[in-house]
Amino acid sequence: MTFTLRSRQVYLPDGPRPATVTVHDGRIAAVDAFDGPYDEDLGDLVLLPGLVDTHVHVNEPGRTEWEGFATATRAAAAGGVTTIVDMPLNSLPPTTTVAALREKQAAATGQCYVDVGFWGGAVPGNAGDLPALHDAGVFGFKSFLVDSGVPEFPPLDRAGLAAAFAAVDALFVVHAEDPARLRDATPSRAYADFLASRPPEAEVSAVGTALAVAAAADARVHVLHLSAADALPLLRRAAADGVRVTAETCPHYLTLDALAVPDGATEFKCCPPIRDPANQDGLWAGLADGTISIVVSDHSPSTPQLKRRDTGDFAAAWGGIASLQLGLSAVWSAAQDRGFTLADVVRWMARGPADLVGLRRKGRITPGADADLVAFAPDESYVVEAAALHHRHPVTPYAGTELRGVVHRTWLRGVPVGDTPHGTFLRREDGR
C-alpha cells in the first residue's frame, strides 16, 4: 500500500517544515516538497512522528484488573504514542526469566494497538538469567534500589547491582531512591506528610550509588523518573567523567505542583513524589541543558480501591500515576508556556526514547523509518474527562485540567489505528 500525506508542518529530524510524506508498505519511502503530488492534505494539522514511551506498566498477566495490553495500548494510540516498552513488574510472573517473558508475550498476543517491547528485571539471585533474557530480545533490565511495592520484585543492594552489571553488557534502568533516607509515612490525608517521607536526598543518595557502581563496571545506566532536581549536578559530573549515564523525567513532575495537591487526592501519589515549583523549575533546566534527555509516562495505574480513594490515605494508597494518554498534551502545554517548541517535545518524547533503546526506525519521520505518524492540533484545547480515557480505570490527577494539543489521528506502520489491534512485538535488535 502506498499513499502520501502533506502538512505545512512536518516534524523532521532537522525541524519542522512544509513537506509531503510518502508511505509504502508500512515505511516512510520519501519526504518531498510540499507542492508535490499527494493523496491527503492535513490542512492545519501538523504531522509528528509517533511517540515512544519506554516506561509503561501494563501489569498483564496477573494484575490485569489494574491495566492490560488492550486498554493500555489503546490509550497510548489515542495519545499519539505508537511504541511502548513494558516494565517487568507488576505483572505475575515478573519478567525476570525467559519463561516469564514468553508468558507475558502470550498474554499480549492479539491485544496490542501499538508496537510493544519489553524490559527484563534484575532482582536478587537472577543474575544468571540476564544473558538469556537479553538474547531473547528485552531492551535492558529494570532494578529497584528501594522496595518496589510488590513482594515478587525485591530491590537490589549495592552488591546486587554490581553483580547484575557484571552479568551482561546491557542497558540498566534504575529506580533510584535510598531506603536509608526514607521516613515512615504515617496515615494521613495531607500530601505534605507523604512528601516529607520521600525527601530529595533519598534520590540524590541512590543516584550517587548507581553512578558509582556503573563507573566501576563501565556499565550503561539510565536513571528512571527523576523527580529531585538536586540530583542533576551528580548526573552532569558523572557524564563529564565518562560514565555512560542518561536520565528521564515524567509529565507529572513537569506539570503538577505539590503545593496544590488537595487533601485526600491520592491520584497524585507516585514514587518518587511530585515536588514543589522550585524543584520543577530545576527539572525543566535539566531538560534545557540535556542532562535529562527524555520524558516518558511511568504509567503505573491500579484499581481505584488500591488508590484508597475511599479514605484518601496517602500512606496506604498505591503509588502510581495514570497518564499514558495525556502525556503529549500535558508536556506540550507546560513546555509552550516556558518558551520551548513542539520540536523540543518531539525530541524528548519520540526520537530520544527511541534512541535510548536503539529503535532507529521509530520516533522520526525520515526515509526508511516505520510510518508511525500522528496528526496533531497544537493550538486546540480540551478539558480532561477521566471517564473518556481509554485507561482501564478513570483515575488520573489530570481530571478537570485544560490541556493544549489534540491528537486527531494516529497511524501505526502506515495503518490508521482503529478498532482492530495490529501492533507487533519488538526485540532489542529491531531497527538497529
Side-chain angles (χ1 to χ4, degrees):
M1 179 178 68
T2 300
F3 67 94
T4 57
L5 297 168
R6 77 173 189 176
S7 168
R8 290 166 184 79
Q9 288 191 73
V10 178
Y11 278 76
L12 304 171
D14 59 353
R17 61 176 170 84
T20 300
V21 177
T22 300
V23 175
H24 176 70
D25 289 346
R27 297 277 186 89
I28 296 170
V31 178
D32 296 310
F34 177 78
D35 56 1
Y38 64 92
D39 295 312
E40 181 178 358
D41 188 331
L42 294 179
D44 293 331
L45 300 177
V46 306
L47 190 63
L48 307 181
L51 305 190
V52 177
D53 192 334
T54 54
H55 196 150
V56 178
H57 294 268
V58 177
N59 308 331
E60 186 175 8
R63 291 190 174 98
T64 311
E65 70 274 14
W66 295 16
E67 185 70 280
F69 281 98
T71 49
T73 58
R74 189 149 198 167
V81 177
T82 52
T83 299
I84 67 169
V85 185
D86 172 65
M87 283 291 170
L89 75 160
N90 306 305
S91 54
L92 292 169
T95 316
T96 54
T97 65
V98 172
L101 172 65
R102 299 305 179 216
E103 190 170 341
K104 178 172 282 193
Q105 290 171 328
T109 297
Q111 295 201 72
C112 299
Y113 289 85
V114 302
D115 286 349
V116 178
F118 302 90
W119 293 106
V123 297
N126 86 323
D129 294 298
L130 302 187
L133 257 176
H134 206 232
D135 290 344
V138 299
F139 286 88
F141 297 98
K142 165 76 172 285
S143 61
F144 278 75
L145 301 185
V146 69
D147 178 29
S148 71
V150 291
E152 68 276 1
F153 203 96
L156 295 175
D157 59 15
R158 188 183 185 112
L161 190 63
F165 287 173
V168 61
D169 182 13
L171 172 60
F172 285 87
V173 299
V174 178
H175 180 128
E177 288 183 283
D178 182 349
R181 304 297 181 97
L182 301 183
R183 304 163 191 164
D184 290 338
T186 57
S188 175
R189 290 174 52 84
Y191 182 76
D193 292 337
F194 164 67
L195 180 60
S197 73
R198 302 187 92 99
E201 54 263 30
E203 282 190 81
V204 174
S205 175
V207 167
T209 296
L211 292 174
V213 177
D218 190 25
R220 186 179 173 210
V221 66
H222 177 77
V223 176
L224 295 168
H225 47 47
L226 186 69
S227 145
D230 288 350
L232 291 169
L234 289 181
L235 293 166
R236 294 184 184 109
R237 187 158 55 248
D241 290 342
V243 178
R244 296 188 290 163
V245 60
T246 49
E248 69 185 37
T249 194
C250 304
H252 40 279
Y253 301 131
L254 297 170
T255 62
L256 302 178
D257 174 4
L259 303 180
V261 176
D263 286 351
T266 53
E267 61 269 28
F268 286 83
K269 181 182 176 180
C270 56
C271 300
I274 295 161
R275 303 191 188 277
D276 61 44
N279 179 84
Q280 189 176 94
D281 292 343
L283 295 177
W284 281 102
L287 279 168
D289 70 17
T291 307
I292 301 171
S293 55
I294 67 172
V295 180
V296 289
S297 69
D298 189 14
H299 179 68
S300 186
S302 69
T303 63
Q305 292 79 11
L306 285 173
K307 289 300 281 187
R308 299 310 303 263
R309 302 186 84 206
D310 53 343
T311 65
D313 180 4
F314 280 98
W318 175 260
I321 299 288
S323 64
L324 180 56
Q325 187 171 333
L326 302 171
L328 173 57
S329 298
V331 173
W332 168 233
S333 298
Q336 188 178 34
D337 288 345
R338 289 175 177 265
F340 294 98
T341 68
L342 188 54
D344 293 320
V345 175
V346 168
R347 184 176 71 254
W348 299 330
M349 301 186 77
R351 183 164 185 166
D355 287 350
L356 173 74
V357 295
L359 289 173
R360 307 301 179 192
R361 292 203 302 266
K362 298 291 189 181
R364 69 209 74 206
I365 298 176
T366 191
D370 288 350
D372 299 344
L373 302 167
V374 177
F376 185 65
D379 297 325
E380 289 185 16
S381 299
Y382 66 102
V383 175
V384 176
E385 297 181 14
L389 300 177
H390 293 287
H391 309 152
R392 184 172 294 279
H393 299 291
V395 179
T396 177
Y398 292 100
T401 302
E402 184 174 3
L403 299 176
R404 287 192 298 277
V406 175
V407 172
H408 279 246
R409 209 175 339 162
T410 302
W411 293 262
L412 178 65
R413 285 175 282 105
V415 178
V417 177
D419 294 331
T420 302
H422 67 280
T424 63
F425 296 151
L426 302 172
R427 291 174 53 91
R428 178 172 46 87
E429 298 84 358
D430 291 339
R432 289 181 181 269

